Amino acid sequence: LMEVVLIQKNTNSGVSKTSANIALLKTYVEQHLDSENLSLKWLAEHYLFISVRNLSKQFIQEEGERFSDYLNRIRMEEAKKLLLLYNNDNIKDIARQVGFGNNPRYFGQVFKRYTGCTPSDFLAHQQDNPS
């Protein structure tokens, strides 16, 4: 119901349907970040009911990046927050909370690609240099 209200509000305020689709997509991602199955294809077919090709074009046009890059960036930002909050108690749990399921090794690879260091190194650096 809240999503319908958001679409209606955006439509009435002059925001295009394209922008409404991207806003809905981003809200869904934020609320379901732990889901391993988040993909542009799934969101297009099961959530927004539009073609994945059109949604991909809309997303790049609105956000200036591919959906997969956006998703990984959002996941890594959340992972950094969780690492600092939980002090590296369990990388496996953090990986699960940001949508990597039981695959902490892949999580570590993606984390390193986005931050330049492993989750453990990131935490050690933050503890050595608190801001």
Side-chain angles (χ1 to χ4, degrees):
L1 180 61
M2 194 164 95
E3 292 161 359
V4 173
V5 171
L6 176 64
I7 291 173
Q8 188 69 352
K9 178 181 168 195
N10 287 340
T11 303
N12 291 339
S13 67
V15 174
S16 71
K17 184 171 179 168
T18 298
S19 293
N21 283 341
I22 302 308
L24 284 170
L25 182 140
K26 290 171 73 175
T27 299
Y28 188 92
V29 166
E30 289 170 17
Q31 294 173 351
H32 299 90
L33 200 58
D34 62 337
S35 174
E36 290 179 68
N37 300 319
L38 275 181
S39 71
L40 194 64
K41 182 177 181 351
W42 188 92
L43 290 163
E45 292 175 354
H46 297 95
Y47 183 63
L48 295 172
F49 306 103
I50 63 174
S51 89
V52 67
R53 184 175 176 192
N54 287 343
L55 185 57
S56 177
K57 286 181 183 180
Q58 289 175 5
F59 194 87
I60 291 170
Q61 185 176 23
E62 292 273 328
E63 298 299 314
E65 67 183 329
R66 295 178 323 161
F67 174 77
S68 59
D69 294 332
Y70 165 80
L71 179 59
N72 281 328
R73 182 174 50 79
I74 296 301
R75 284 179 163 163
M76 294 307 103
E77 289 172 8
E78 183 65 16
K80 289 191 292 187
K81 291 176 194 173
L82 293 172
L83 282 166
L84 294 173
L85 181 65
Y86 296 125
N87 290 319
N88 200 24
D89 280 345
N90 192 336
I91 298 291
K92 195 175 194 177
D93 288 338
I94 292 170
R96 192 173 311 117
Q97 289 179 50
V98 295
F100 287 84
N102 289 321
N103 198 344
R105 173 177 274 164
Y106 181 58
F107 164 71
Q109 291 171 349
V110 174
F111 189 91
K112 187 170 184 176
R113 187 177 328 130
Y114 276 80
T115 64
C117 60
T118 66
S120 299
D121 290 343
F122 170 81
L123 188 57
H125 177 73
Q126 293 299 313
Q127 291 171 340
D128 292 342
N129 303 308
S131 37

